Amino acid sequence: MKIWYELAQVPGDQRSVVTIGNFDGMHNGHRRVVASCVERAARRGAEAVAVTFDPHPTQVHRPELGLELISPLRDRLDAMAASGLDGTLVVHYDASVYSLEAEEFVEEFLVDRLGAIEVVVGQDFCFGRGNSGTVDTLRELGRRYGFDVTMVTDIEAPEGRRWSSSWVRELLEVGDVAGAARVLGHLHRIRGTVEHGFKRGRELGFPTANLGGGIEGVVPGDGVYAGWLVRAVPGTQSAEFLPAAISVGTNPQFEGVERTVEAHVLGRSDLNLYGERIAVTFVARIRPMMSFDSVEDLLRRMDDDLRQTAYVLGIAVATRVDPATVTAR
């Protein structure tokens, strides 16, 4: 998939079927819209192209809300590429974009550069200054500039709720990562750099990779999760998936106050991940964050966490490691 970060990078000589949206998380609703764009482009012998925005418009217009993206831009683009798109234009969202009238946006982005012969959008699509443009506006402009408009109606989950990014955030907030994966259509993951922590886990036989500041993606609610630590294999384009028990919270057993994300790779004491940029993928919540009457009670529960994690991930059960064998310092 070709990726353009400036309008001037777009060749300007193609015929495109275009879809437009934030596509945060690339959930099932987004995937249906993109799939329609790809299908219709193939039928018409044109390129399937998406227009997306960075930063998210809500982060620009309502910064006080502190909106976190479900997934970072690189993950969004990976998911869009996997959906079969030929190209994506990442529009830097600032005053030069949101001050455009609806017709100016259509003429500058869709007609002059992308050569749109058809535009595919969801039924809640809005665009132009103050979101004044609607699907009906787009249809009217399409008749004027010579492109068709296809509206993809909202699809709903079996319980009758439409797939949405806000629903994903609600599920992640309460730790329902399995539910979030059902809405997304894929497992939720976050990215961060491994930093030194308090090293309590190492002393207990559970060395962890601690994600420091600058975490990308929505961190699920406090609890213990089964999932995967994903690291790049140096010198290759490959990734290594390591089974992990993941702790999210303030560590109330030791009266912690800072919320952290810590991933213990099952059965491994030989990993030195400090300074690496890794991903943590969440599969299922094992339990809420808890404090115990004693460290011995905590250790028994953590042993059970390892067993449950192994069961969820479908791997052999691992026990806690010998602290003396931990190599990372």
Side-chain angles (χ1 to χ4, degrees):
M1 181 182 78
K2 299 181 290 289
I3 302 173
W4 306 294
Y5 291 95
E6 295 179 7
L7 199 58
Q9 295 175 344
V10 181
D13 58 357
Q14 70 267 38
R15 297 170 66 253
S16 303
V17 175
V18 182
T19 186
I20 310 167
N22 295 308
F23 303 112
D24 184 24
M26 271 296 287
H27 58 64
N28 285 323
H30 295 146
R31 286 145 68 95
R32 177 170 176 179
V33 173
V34 171
S36 179
C37 174
V38 171
E39 177 189 354
R40 301 184 77 83
R43 190 184 306 167
R44 302 188 65 168
E47 290 195 337
V49 175
V51 176
T52 192
F53 304 95
D54 182 58
H56 193 291
T58 298
Q59 294 175 319
V60 174
H61 296 297
R62 299 290 305 278
E64 71 278 6
L65 296 180
L67 179 74
E68 294 180 284
L69 294 181
I70 295 170
S71 54
L73 178 62
R74 62 173 290 187
D75 288 349
R76 190 194 330 171
L77 293 174
D78 284 347
M80 294 169 79
S83 298
L85 288 165
D86 297 303
T88 294
L89 171 61
V90 181
V91 177
H92 180 66
Y93 190 79
D94 58 16
S96 69
V97 176
Y98 63 71
S99 62
L100 292 174
E101 299 294 344
E103 184 169 0
E104 291 176 316
F105 178 85
V106 164
E107 186 173 11
E108 183 174 340
F109 284 84
L110 304 185
V111 178
D112 290 347
R113 294 311 290 183
L114 294 176
I117 61 172
E118 185 171 353
V119 180
V120 180
V121 294
Q123 67 184 62
D124 59 350
F125 176 70
C126 295
F127 69 110
R129 186 197 296 265
N131 279 339
S132 58
T134 65
V135 176
D136 288 337
T137 308
L138 190 62
R139 287 195 177 107
E140 179 184 340
L141 292 169
R143 287 189 290 269
R144 191 179 309 169
Y145 286 95
F147 59 82
D148 299 322
V149 175
T150 296
M151 183 184 71
V152 179
T153 57
D154 285 340
I155 56 173
E156 297 180 346
E159 57 264 57
R161 181 169 181 176
R162 69 184 286 267
W163 308 109
S164 68
S165 299
S166 59
W167 190 8
V168 174
R169 289 189 179 87
E170 289 174 16
L171 292 167
L172 292 175
E173 185 176 359
V174 297
D176 186 0
V177 294
R182 186 172 66 87
V183 179
L184 287 167
H186 55 84
L187 296 174
H188 176 64
R189 66 182 173 187
I190 61 175
R191 295 182 184 273
T193 301
V194 179
E195 297 182 352
H196 289 275
F198 293 104
K199 298 182 172 59
R200 296 192 187 101
R202 171 189 303 182
E203 297 167 0
L204 298 174
F206 299 90
T208 60
N210 305 281
L211 269 64
I215 292 177
E216 295 180 300
V218 175
V219 177
D222 291 0
V224 175
Y225 299 86
W228 302 91
L229 185 153
V230 187
R231 64 186 302 216
V233 178
T236 75
Q237 296 294 315
S238 302
E240 183 180 15
F241 285 72
L242 303 172
I246 306 156
S247 171
V248 178
T250 59
N251 204 337
Q253 185 71 31
F254 298 98
E255 299 181 347
V257 294
E258 181 181 352
R259 193 165 186 254
T260 61
V261 178
E262 305 175 56
H264 167 68
V265 177
L266 273 59
R268 298 288 296 270
S269 60
D270 61 328
L271 294 170
N272 187 349
L273 302 173
Y274 292 126
E276 282 194 32
R277 192 75 179 170
I278 64 169
V280 173
T281 299
F282 297 86
V283 176
R285 191 174 194 237
I286 301 298
R287 63 171 173 88
M289 186 58 63
M290 304 165 63
S291 59
F292 299 85
D293 293 335
S294 66
V295 172
E296 289 72 24
D297 288 343
L298 169 65
L299 288 173
R300 281 192 289 270
R301 187 55 190 259
M302 292 174 74
D303 287 337
D304 189 49
D305 293 339
L306 294 187
R307 287 189 289 271
Q308 291 191 52
T309 296
Y311 175 75
V312 168
L313 299 180
I315 63 170
V317 174
T319 59
R320 71 181 84 156
V321 304
D322 180 355
T325 66
V326 178
T327 57
R329 298 299 171 189

